[in-house]
Amino acid sequence: MSIAPTLQKYLAAENIQYEVIPHEPSMTSTRTAEVCHISGDRLAKGIVLRRDSEYMLAVLPASHHLRLSELRTELGDNVHMADETEIDRLFHDCAHGAVPAVGKCYGLNIIVDSSIQTQPDIYMEAGDHETLLHMGHAQFARLTANAPRGCFSVHD
């Protein structure tokens, strides 16, 4: 595989500049950061949430864990993690578990953990377990320009 077609078309339409980084297969974001010799603080991961009857994507560093209680404080009590079946349906052209940290092209609103905003560059899954996208801070900021920010994660 490589870049998920939905993601690739969206990045091209938005004129987002990025570099493709192939890597040995890895199944977790923490392991991907290790394999690629990058800081987990710079690897953006997406976690799919269900809020009422809609879905959204929380974007946070791979070196962090989601604090659902903090998200509920910001978004309301009816926020839950989506199950694998829901995620596979939403990210139909991605490998199971390889969710890109971009929601708009998949029809999802996002919320961004403020801790990732300080990074000079960002890496993210491209839709499989063997490819990362690397982009500068400005490009990532364009992708997340209108997204709400919050403090809803804790460093491992």
Side-chain angles (χ1 to χ4, degrees):
M1 207 180 211
S2 59
I3 303 173
T6 301
L7 177 60
Q8 190 170 30
K9 287 177 192 170
Y10 178 73
L11 295 174
E14 295 296 316
N15 197 29
I16 299 295
Q17 304 300 308
Y18 60 89
E19 174 186 10
V20 177
I21 310 288
H23 62 85
E24 69 180 65
S26 58
M27 298 305 287
T28 67
S29 56
T30 303
R31 181 69 185 134
T32 299
E34 290 171 3
V35 165
C36 294
H37 307 289
I38 60 172
S39 168
D41 293 343
R42 292 184 178 184
L43 178 57
K45 66 179 175 182
I47 297 177
V48 183
L49 305 170
R50 186 178 350 97
R51 182 179 180 202
D52 299 318
S53 61
E54 296 182 4
Y55 296 96
M56 67 184 305
L57 194 66
V59 177
L60 58 150
S63 59
H64 288 219
H65 275 91
L66 178 72
R67 294 185 65 192
L68 201 52
S69 61
E70 297 298 324
L71 263 180
R72 287 180 175 145
T73 299
E74 294 191 36
L75 300 173
D77 288 336
N78 200 19
V79 176
H80 306 279
M81 292 179 67
D83 66 38
E84 292 182 9
T85 304
E86 294 168 307
I87 296 166
D88 288 346
R89 188 177 69 244
L90 292 167
F91 292 87
H92 55 86
D93 62 349
C94 296
H96 179 75
V99 173
V102 179
K104 190 171 183 178
C105 55
Y106 290 96
L108 302 176
N109 290 323
I110 64 172
I111 185 167
V112 180
D113 191 85
S114 54
S115 64
I116 203 159
Q117 295 301 114
T118 61
Q119 298 303 318
D121 57 345
I122 300 293
Y123 296 81
M124 71 175 74
E125 291 285 357
D128 66 6
H129 295 286
E130 299 176 6
T131 312
L132 287 181
L133 301 182
H134 175 228
M135 62 188 67
H137 175 82
Q139 297 298 299
F140 184 72
R142 284 182 49 212
L143 287 175
T144 61
N146 297 318
R149 306 291 193 260
C151 296
F152 52 83
S153 74
V154 62
H155 199 282
D156 292 340

